Amino acid sequence: MQSIFWTGRVLSRALRNGLSSLTNASELNVSNKKHPYLVSVVCGFPKDIANGRTLKGQFGDDAWFSTHFNNADVIGVADGVGGWRAYGIDPGEFSSYLMRTCERLVRMGHFKLSEPGDLLAKSYYELLEHKKPILGSSTACVMILDRNESIMRAANIGDSGYMVVRGGRVVHRSHEQQHYFNTPYQLSLPPPGHDRNVLSDRPESAETAEFRVECGDVILVATDGVFDNVPEPVLVAEMRRAQGLEGDAQRLQAVANSIAWMARNLSFDGCYMSPFAKSARQNGIDAIGGKPDDITVLLAIVAL
């Protein structure tokens, strides 16, 4: 598998130059094997473009990875819970460590093809054992493609998630896990003395799924900044544009850019009835507008 990594150093310049320059981090993964494999690109934005983190693998408090080992392709996203900032804790450190550890474990072969939840659990428990405590919370979604069996397995905790489009329609989608409105399941390490006041779910609580993939399947893995702001029919329409683009990196990247830019714009639209606002109203909260948030779009195609 070869990797190509593009980076745009100045987002303000990218915004002036137009959509083709919007990606500030993306990775294309290609394998020459005859088994199915993933071609993936990524695009995103921190909520605060001027001051947010835009390092490889991070968009603000969101984090992501895309890697492979032998007959497996593995992708994932995580979303650090921003509320920790009020306690002087950087929410992005927790999510970034979680994803970087998943990536390292995969590259070392320390994971099970059949258990993405186990990969997430190993990463989380390693975080808990870190000599310098990495405090905070995060949602997470990890997917493993078993190339030999053409099987995708997923583990999702919280309100990040995935969607799979085949033939122009959704064939698989994760379901967000919420304790109550706008309070998703999350992996946590609270400061000493705050254990009773902080929600902390075990990685074993993650929703898991297993399904067969086909050549041409388009897979979106994203944080809630996407799903809270872009309606499913619009996401599906964008994902249809990605079908057949596994051999065209620039056009595939353009689709990921389009989804991320759309989510970004809608998140700051105060007059828009977003999926988040609709959910709020269903819970008795009179809300309208998008939900400003970090945005991470990891878009993949199953290729042969």
Side-chain angles (χ1 to χ4, degrees):
M1 181 180 286
Q2 298 175 334
S3 295
I4 302 172
F5 180 71
W6 297 275
T7 180
R9 300 291 295 177
V10 184
L11 275 178
S12 59
R13 184 194 313 161
L15 291 169
R16 289 197 300 268
N17 290 345
L19 187 60
S20 63
S21 301
L22 283 175
T23 305
N24 55 344
S26 60
E27 187 168 358
L28 173 68
N29 298 304
V30 183
S31 168
N32 293 322
K33 293 181 178 294
K34 293 181 180 179
H35 298 296
Y37 60 92
L38 294 182
V39 177
S40 65
V41 295
V42 66
C43 181
F45 300 96
K47 179 169 64 174
D48 181 356
I49 286 184
N51 302 304
R53 209 174 347 233
T54 56
L55 303 174
K56 183 180 185 295
Q58 289 184 271
F59 298 111
D61 299 333
D62 286 359
W64 62 272
F65 78 97
S66 175
T67 191
H68 69 101
F69 179 83
N70 290 342
N71 60 335
D73 289 334
V74 189
I75 54 180
V77 300
D79 180 2
V81 176
W84 285 109
R85 192 167 281 107
Y87 296 86
I89 295 170
D90 180 355
E93 286 190 8
F94 192 101
S95 56
S96 176
Y97 186 94
L98 202 64
M99 293 293 95
R100 284 188 285 109
T101 303
C102 282
E103 182 175 19
R104 175 173 53 80
L105 290 172
V106 171
R107 290 183 173 180
M108 294 173 64
H110 295 171
F111 72 106
K112 301 175 183 177
L113 271 173
S114 59
E115 297 185 28
D118 181 68
L119 174 61
L120 197 56
K122 284 180 178 176
S123 178
Y124 172 64
Y125 291 130
E126 184 172 314
L127 180 150
L128 296 183
E129 297 297 325
H130 200 272
K131 291 182 179 179
K132 180 182 177 181
I134 301 173
L135 305 176
S137 308
S138 181
T139 66
C141 180
V142 173
M143 303 186 79
I144 300 176
L145 172 63
D146 182 338
R147 297 183 194 153
N148 290 341
E149 301 295 330
S150 298
I151 295 292
M152 181 72 82
R153 298 179 176 93
N156 182 66
I157 187 160
D159 56 5
S160 294
Y162 64 87
M163 182 187 299
V164 182
V165 168
R166 177 184 303 155
R169 64 184 186 88
V170 178
V171 291
H172 302 287
R173 179 168 183 174
S174 59
H175 303 285
E176 66 177 29
Q177 297 173 305
Q178 297 269 4
H179 289 283
Y180 43 88
F181 175 68
N182 203 29
T183 307
Y185 281 36
Q186 53 201 264
L187 304 176
S188 302
L189 178 58
H194 287 73
D195 300 61
R196 293 185 177 181
N197 304 320
V198 174
L199 291 172
S200 183
D201 300 288
R202 296 176 59 83
E204 291 79 11
S205 299
E207 175 197 62
T208 59
E210 176 180 318
F211 50 86
R212 185 167 295 277
V213 295
E214 298 179 6
C215 182
D217 284 355
V218 181
I219 302 168
L220 171 66
V221 187
T223 53
D224 67 327
V226 176
F227 297 117
D228 280 344
N229 289 298
V230 186
E232 181 174 310
V234 178
L235 288 174
V236 173
E238 289 293 309
M239 293 170 71
R240 286 195 193 108
R241 295 174 50 217
Q243 292 179 322
L245 297 184
E246 56 269 26
D248 192 329
Q250 290 187 343
R251 291 177 64 194
L252 182 61
Q253 185 66 58
V255 176
N257 292 352
S258 177
I259 295 173
W261 185 231
M262 185 184 307
R264 167 78 184 176
N265 279 341
L266 292 174
S267 73
F268 286 96
D269 187 338
C271 299
Y272 164 59
M273 186 55 70
S274 64
F276 180 81
K278 290 180 180 178
S279 180
R281 292 192 172 201
Q282 290 171 358
N283 284 271
I285 301 171
D286 187 13
I288 192 170
K291 179 191 176 188
D293 204 348
D294 302 314
I295 306 292
T296 298
V297 171
L298 205 167
L299 188 65
I301 302 180
V302 177
L304 285 175

